[in-house]
Amino acid sequence: MFFRTKGFQLCLAFILGIVVLLLPRPEGTKFRITGDEDRMLFRSVSQNFKMATTHKDYKKGYILEVKDPRNPVSTGLFLREKAIKLKLTGVKIDYLNGLSPKAKRFLAVLVVLVFLFVVEPIPLEITAICIGIFLVIMRICDVRDAWAPYMHPVVVFIMCCLIFAISLDKAGLTKRIGYFIIRKAGTSVTRFTFILSVGLGIASSFMHDAAACAIGIVTMLPLMRAANIEPHTRTAKFMMLSLPFACSCGGMGTLVGGGRNMVAAAFLKEFTGIEITFLDWIKFAMPVALITVPAAVAVVYFVFRPDSKYKLPQFDEDLGSWTSLEKKTVVIVALTFLLWLTKNFHGIHYSVTGMLGVAALVFSGVLKWEDIHADLEWGTALFIFGGGISLGLAMGYSGAAEYFANLFFPLVQGGGWLLLFIGVGAFGALVTNAMANVAAAALILPIVIPMAQLEGVDPRVIALCLGMATSFAMLLVIGCPPNAISYSYRYFKASDLAKAGAIATPVLLTILVLVAAAWWRVLGLV
């Protein structure tokens, strides 16, 4: 069929990008000026612009607002040309309520890439490589900024998680885990998937969700093959999508469950002086995690209901006592997890301690380089997730994300804590699919915390909301590491993930709002 050909889909993707480029660009009326401590630029344009900031410390910048939007000189381009004439080389001019030319070019690229990610006319690895190519060609960033994220520390960390999963599988530990669960769940695919996904999902509150997802998948795969569950069947999609969804939800349970939680707590402290302790976060967030983890699996179950004809194999054999290979693997992986959990004390990044664990696995003979080279999904870690990070960073520094935040949040201002909560949660859950959830939290919090304070809303509500809602990155493969790891085994298409995510995201956001409205009221937070 013509409409399903790769050529037609590629043409449609680029037509969508061209349409976005041809749309009129909102110039806006406010501009943030930084680096003009002596206010030379302001004095030279004061006939057409007025000072709109109330901040007294001009070292932190100021905001200019146009006096007459119909005046042709009331533009960002005019301000830039004026700064060049005055030889103000250190001055930076950012759009506040307008869309900069660079941000518009980014949106055109984003539309093309999202279409390619969902429809998959070409392999996702190639689409991910196109991210760097398009960002440079469209003059959104330079070559270094475009390619550097492909070896971002988070990418290295994901590679560590995948290598640990390979070692657990080679040592035979995933077989033990599978046997243990099957003894509890029987041969039912549904019960097995629920037990494994919910267990690792809740564990994600205390360990990285990517590691939990990788361990779960290598435990699940041998059993799926033994039961002859083919890729792209409804049963395979249910099993392989339940894990990343559950692990993403579980990460909101504690401060160490995800970097987004730490960022939310840190920004709250920075802007308001209010501190959310480790126990405070558990008290507020863990009930939501305990409900959303099984709820996420349930949504995937109803979207891709597994075929009851599939039965997992029964195992009567005795696995015997632990081998030395299993013991060495457990010790090395456990020590690495301990280093990850205590990062706040020693300060060494997850990627460094992770690679230290990988080196120990090779030195101790658990793995050989050939095992890593043959079994590691290089394309997933390096290209798909690295490209996703590159795209997310570009969304931030092009100004596109800030434009939409400034456009959207005034719409929910004045409606009380609940409307602000829903607006922040929905916006955070959508934005985090195209950029890392840590970056999404860091971008939105500085905008919404002052809004909450103006409305008399406890800013802890907004910080908690954003840290938790950005766990729902379930629409795109690049949304979060568990999605990319699960996709790398090719048991489902990117469109399958988008289909399940489109239903799961509003359902989980509703649960978040309902639990917050009830539980946080009991705690006296709202």
Side-chain angles (χ1 to χ4, degrees):
M1 190 175 178
F2 174 72
F3 296 108
R4 293 186 178 180
T5 61
K6 293 180 179 178
F8 174 79
Q9 292 171 345
L10 283 172
C11 287
L12 184 57
F14 285 104
I15 288 173
L16 287 173
I18 292 170
V19 168
V20 173
L21 277 178
L22 293 177
L23 290 173
R25 182 178 62 81
E27 178 69 20
T29 56
K30 293 182 179 178
F31 302 88
R32 180 185 292 114
I33 314 296
T34 49
D36 184 27
E37 297 176 15
D38 298 326
R39 289 179 285 166
M40 289 180 63
L41 179 61
F42 170 61
R43 287 196 291 271
S44 67
V45 299
S46 58
Q47 285 186 332
N48 302 307
F49 293 83
K50 61 184 178 183
M51 189 74 76
T53 184
T54 56
H55 206 293
K56 302 298 182 187
D57 186 359
Y58 291 106
K59 291 182 180 179
K60 295 183 178 179
Y62 56 88
I63 296 171
L64 290 183
E65 184 174 5
V66 299
K67 291 180 178 177
D68 181 7
R70 294 167 299 180
N71 192 325
V73 300
S74 302
T75 65
L77 178 62
F78 172 76
L79 288 172
R80 285 195 175 82
E81 290 175 346
K82 204 70 177 175
I84 292 172
K85 284 183 181 177
L86 295 171
K87 298 181 179 178
L88 300 174
T89 54
V91 171
K92 186 179 176 186
I93 300 162
D94 294 313
Y95 284 73
L96 265 185
N97 58 352
L99 188 67
S100 69
K102 182 189 290 187
K104 189 181 179 189
R105 294 196 297 274
F106 172 82
L107 292 179
V109 170
L110 182 66
V111 167
V112 174
L113 291 170
V114 168
F115 184 87
L116 295 179
F117 268 121
V118 174
V119 181
E120 283 189 270
I122 54 177
L124 287 199
E125 287 81 357
I126 303 301
T127 301
I129 291 172
C130 288
I131 292 173
I133 296 171
F134 291 165
L135 291 179
V136 174
I137 290 177
M138 296 296 285
R139 293 179 291 112
I140 296 166
C141 63
D142 60 24
V143 175
R144 182 183 294 274
D145 288 339
W147 294 121
Y150 286 78
M151 193 44 80
H152 191 278
V154 176
V155 172
V156 178
F157 171 74
I158 291 174
M159 291 169 65
C160 295
C161 294
L162 291 169
I163 294 171
F164 284 172
I166 294 170
S167 70
L168 292 172
D169 193 35
K170 186 184 176 188
L173 285 163
T174 54
K175 192 175 181 182
R176 286 190 182 276
I177 298 172
Y179 279 26
F180 174 77
I181 298 176
I182 282 181
R183 287 196 187 99
K184 302 293 181 186
T187 58
S188 167
V189 167
T190 304
R191 280 202 297 272
F192 175 85
T193 306
F194 262 91
I195 292 174
L196 185 67
S197 301
V198 172
L200 287 172
I202 294 171
S204 294
S205 293
F206 302 93
M207 60 192 286
H208 202 286
D209 51 11
C213 186
I215 292 171
I217 286 175
V218 292
T219 302
M220 187 181 278
L221 275 178
L223 300 172
M224 293 175 70
R225 290 169 184 146
N228 295 318
I229 298 173
E230 296 292 329
H232 306 295
T233 59
R234 295 177 65 84
T235 306
K237 293 172 187 175
F238 163 64
M239 298 180 80
M240 295 297 281
L241 283 170
S242 293
L243 266 171
F245 280 26
C247 292
S248 295
C249 291
M252 74 172 75
T254 74
L255 269 179
V256 299
R260 56 198 179 274
N261 305 340
M262 286 286 193
V263 167
F267 270 64
L268 181 69
K269 174 80 172 175
E270 175 71 22
F271 285 106
T272 66
I274 299 173
E275 183 176 4
I276 298 183
T277 65
F278 188 83
L279 289 178
D280 283 340
W281 191 281
I282 290 178
K283 183 173 64 177
F284 293 127
M286 185 56 85
V288 185
L290 292 176
I291 295 173
T292 53
V293 166
V297 182
V299 169
V300 180
Y301 172 81
F302 285 112
V303 176
F304 297 112
R305 194 182 289 268
D307 193 329
S308 58
K309 74 177 183 183
Y310 291 111
K311 298 293 180 185
L312 297 177
Q314 288 182 315
F315 299 102
D316 298 324
E317 62 180 301
D318 185 6
L319 292 178
S321 57
W322 285 48
T323 65
S324 61
L325 188 66
E326 289 175 315
K327 292 175 182 174
K328 279 192 289 187
T329 307
V330 166
V331 169
I332 294 171
V333 172
L335 286 174
T336 308
F337 271 74
L338 186 62
L339 288 172
W340 286 345
L341 288 173
T342 55
K343 177 180 176 292
N344 287 343
F345 295 101
H346 53 73
I348 304 175
H349 192 268
Y350 300 111
S351 60
V352 177
T353 47
M355 277 300 171
L356 182 65
V358 170
L361 288 170
V362 175
F363 288 147
S364 62
V366 174
L367 284 179
K368 295 179 181 177
W369 168 249
E370 288 75 15
D371 299 323
I372 299 172
H373 179 66
D375 297 331
L376 180 62
E377 291 292 338
W378 298 97
T380 299
L382 287 176
F383 297 140
I384 294 180
F385 202 69
I389 294 174
S390 182
L391 187 69
L393 291 175
M395 189 174 189
Y397 58 65
S398 71
E402 189 171 5
Y403 167 73
F404 282 111
N406 282 298
L407 190 71
F408 176 75
F409 288 126
L411 299 177
V412 296
Q413 198 168 14
W417 81 269
L418 188 57
L419 188 59
L420 189 60
F421 184 96
I422 294 171
V424 169
F427 188 79
L430 288 175
V431 168
T432 196
N433 281 280
M435 62 195 307
N437 47 30
V438 172
L443 173 80
I444 299 171
L445 276 168
I447 299 171
V448 293
I449 283 181
M451 288 175 59
Q453 289 176 312
L454 285 174
E455 293 200 40
V457 176
D458 190 329
R460 290 181 298 172
V461 171
I462 300 304
L464 283 161
C465 168
L466 202 52
M468 296 161 75
T470 48
S471 300
F472 306 141
M474 297 169 176
L475 293 174
L476 296 179
V477 171
I478 58 172
C480 63
N483 295 355
I485 289 173
S486 187
Y487 174 81
S488 68
Y489 293 90
R490 301 294 192 274
Y491 273 72
F492 59 86
K493 292 183 177 180
S495 55
D496 297 322
L497 186 141
K499 180 181 177 183
I503 298 172
T505 302
V507 169
L508 298 173
L509 276 172
T510 302
I511 292 173
L512 171 61
V513 172
L514 293 176
V515 175
W519 177 238
W520 293 359
R521 191 174 297 279
V522 172
L523 297 176
L525 185 63
V526 296

